[in-house]
Amino acid sequence: MAREDEAHIDALLREARANAPEPTAGFMARVMDDALEVQRGFALPRAERQSRAGVIETLRTLFGGWGAVGGLVTAGLAGLWIGFMGAQQVDTVASGYWQQSENLGTVNLLPEVETVAYVDEGGF
């Protein structure tokens, strides 16, 4: 950045500081009312604070924050999806994402054993 650009930016910032808007009295009164309400909430017993927080906030605190709740929701939805679609269909969909050339679940390592099992049961 050139020196003249820095000088121009410094001049703009000085002008902005000189013409800083002041908050209105009504706005400051609303801010103070909100602050006093929050402070009154700290003085309440713990049971009253939890009842005011609501169910969602209580669950968030119980599980350890939004990150943990997000992980639980994701795992729950994945479980629902797998349960609804079935493991075979999930494998089919997942193989489309990873573009595997061979699915190791379909490799038949002992083909004779299955043939013998069909012959013994009269499967042929």
Side-chain angles (χ1 to χ4, degrees), residues 89-106:
Q89 289 178 344
V90 171
D91 186 39
T92 303
V93 171
S95 67
Y97 285 113
W98 285 292
Q99 299 293 325
Q100 293 178 350
S101 60
E102 183 178 343
N103 188 355
L104 294 179
T106 60

Side-chain angles (χ1 to χ4, degrees), residues 50-62:
Q50 284 183 343
S51 68
R52 292 177 90 192
V55 175
I56 300 291
E57 187 66 23
T58 303
L59 287 175
R60 182 193 65 84
T61 305
L62 180 69

Side-chain angles (χ1 to χ4, degrees), residues 68-93:
V69 171
L72 285 171
V73 168
T74 303
L77 289 175
L80 268 169
W81 181 53
I82 291 170
F84 178 72
M85 290 186 64
Q88 185 64 32
Q89 289 178 344
V90 171
D91 186 39
T92 303
V93 171

Side-chain angles (χ1 to χ4, degrees), residues 104-118:
L104 294 179
T106 60
V107 174
N108 194 357
L109 299 175
L110 297 171
E112 304 87 32
V113 174
E114 289 180 4
T115 306
V116 172
Y118 286 129

